[in-house]
Amino acid sequence: MAKFLKTSGRAGLRGFLDGAARGLLRIGLTANAMTFIGTAVIVAASVWLIPSGHLVAATIVITCAAFTDLFDGAMARLSGKTSRFGALLDSTMDRVADGAVLAGIAFYLLRNDMALAGAFALWCLIASEVVSYVKARSESLGTECPVGIVERPERLIGVGLVTIAAVAGVPYAWEVGLGLLGVLSTVTVAQRLIHSHKAMSEDEAEDSADARQN
Ligand SMILES: CCCCCCCC/C=C\CCCCCCCC(=O)OC[C@H](COP(=O)(O)OP(=O)(O)OC[C@H]1O[C@@H](n2ccc(N)nc2=O)[C@H](O)[C@@H]1O)OC(=O)CCCCCCC/C=C\CCCCCCCC
Ligand SMILES: O=P([O-])([O-])O[C@@H]1[C@@H](O)[C@H](O)[C@@H](O)[C@H](O)[C@@H]1O
Ligand SMILES: [Mg+2]
Ligand SMILES: [Mg+2]
């Protein structure tokens, strides 16, 4: 879905992002500052609004702050300051933000005696971090890994929808929603491992064939 959103709404989304990014640059913000601010807002909402049960406010604040992850890249591009460190900072802050949101939800659920849902939130937290880790490690070993049914935007939107359903009183929304997200995130880990295993095995077979020829 992330790819669909990226391509189908590209012109409109890009125009909106660039307009907002120009405004943010004009008031003196930098891309890296935007990356930090977005994460700080998400962490603050996760440790303050979620545990205290202000779930609607948390969802609104986190949704708005999550969009800063799109602005920071646009700001870097438009200011000509795209950097490898910026990319590293962006990905690192994403892990912090994802961890904070799911830890906040787990804390809220466990504190309110929803043990199964709390355990599922912890599962989602770990699976979400591992999904990103497999891709990053694979890339560091020289193999691209652009696959997976629930990438970050899907996971965030999934958590948002589960929260809305729970707030609206849908029975077992936390258990079913977070359980499903845990399964899909785990499937994504498997998809990435399988993809990288195949690509790495092919590369290594080619390397050995080349070595035998020389
Ligand atoms: C409330 C729930 C209701 C659900 C409805 C939500 C409606 C949402 C509607 C539309 C969603 C639109 C989503 C758009 C998706 C876009 C597709 C996509 O894949 O985007 C990826 C981005 C950004 O990735 P990345 O950060 O890697 O790209 P950048 O462009 O930023 O960086 C690129 C390069 O730029 C350089 N650079 C960057 C930064 C920097 N400082 N320096 C740099 O140099 C560098 O070279 C980089 O490589 O994706 C995301 O991950 C953001 C997704 C945002 C989607 C938000 C949706 C949020 C919805 C709900 C959240 C609810 C949370 C609920 C919490 C509940 C609490 C109780
Ligand atoms: O791996 P994943 O968490 O689904 O999605 C990832 C993002 O969260 C990360 O911040 C970005 O830099 C990666 O390129 C990748 O797209
Ligand atoms: Mg970003
Ligand atoms: Mg990001």
Side-chain angles (χ1 to χ4, degrees), residues 2 6 69 87-95 98 127-136 139 145 147-148 150-155 188 192:
K6 253 185 208 164
D69 192 23
L88 174 65
L89 183 71
D90 184 316
S91 299
T92 305
M93 291 300 115
D94 288 350
R95 305 293 75 78
D98 296 351
S128 174
E129 301 286 332
V130 177
V131 162
S132 311
Y133 177 79
V134 176
K135 181 175 184 178
E139 286 172 351
C145 191
V147 298
V150 285
E151 298 193 304
R152 187 165 186 256
E154 290 88 342
R155 297 198 300 276
T188 305
R192 289 187 171 183

Side-chain angles (χ1 to χ4, degrees), residues 68-73 90 94:
T68 62
D69 192 23
L70 296 164
F71 296 143
D72 56 5
D90 184 316
D94 288 350

Side-chain angles (χ1 to χ4, degrees), residues 170-203:
V170 174
Y172 302 109
W174 289 121
E175 288 82 358
V176 173
L178 293 176
L180 186 62
L181 196 59
V183 169
L184 293 175
S185 302
T186 305
V187 168
T188 305
V189 171
Q191 286 179 306
R192 289 187 171 183
L193 283 173
I194 291 165
H195 170 89
S196 294
H197 177 252
K198 189 166 174 278
M200 287 170 179
S201 303
E202 283 169 6
D203 284 352

Side-chain angles (χ1 to χ4, degrees), residues 6 31-32 35 59 63 69-70 72-73 76 82-83 86-87 90 152-153 163:
K6 253 185 208 164
N32 287 350
T35 304
T59 304
T63 300
D69 192 23
L70 296 164
D72 56 5
T82 298
S83 67
D90 184 316
R152 187 165 186 256
T163 305

Side-chain angles (χ1 to χ4, degrees), residues 25-174:
L25 288 167
R26 222 173 284 129
I27 60 169
L29 282 172
T30 63
N32 287 350
M34 193 75 250
T35 304
F36 264 121
I37 292 168
T39 309
V41 172
I42 292 179
V43 171
S46 300
V47 301
W48 179 37
L49 293 176
I50 301 177
S52 60
H54 295 94
L55 299 181
V56 175
T59 304
I60 294 168
V61 171
I62 292 170
T63 300
C64 295
F67 278 96
T68 62
D69 192 23
L70 296 164
F71 296 143
D72 56 5
M75 290 168 73
R77 180 168 42 80
L78 290 170
S79 59
K81 291 196 177 132
T82 298
S83 67
R84 288 164 67 207
F85 177 73
L88 174 65
L89 183 71
D90 184 316
S91 299
T92 305
M93 291 300 115
D94 288 350
R95 305 293 75 78
V96 172
D98 296 351
V101 170
L102 288 161
I105 292 174
F107 183 81
Y108 164 79
L109 293 169
L110 294 172
R111 196 157 84 164
N112 288 285
D113 296 326
M114 288 179 266
L116 181 65
F120 283 170
L122 292 173
W123 176 21
C124 290
L125 194 169
I126 295 165
S128 174
E129 301 286 332
V130 177
V131 162
S132 311
Y133 177 79
V134 176
K135 181 175 184 178
R137 183 70 177 127
S138 181
E139 286 172 351
S140 80
L141 292 165
T143 301
E144 292 296 309
C145 191
V147 298
I149 45 175
V150 285
E151 298 193 304
R152 187 165 186 256
E154 290 88 342
R155 297 198 300 276
L156 278 175
I157 292 169
V159 172
L161 292 176
V162 172
T163 305
I164 289 169
V167 169
V170 174
Y172 302 109
W174 289 121

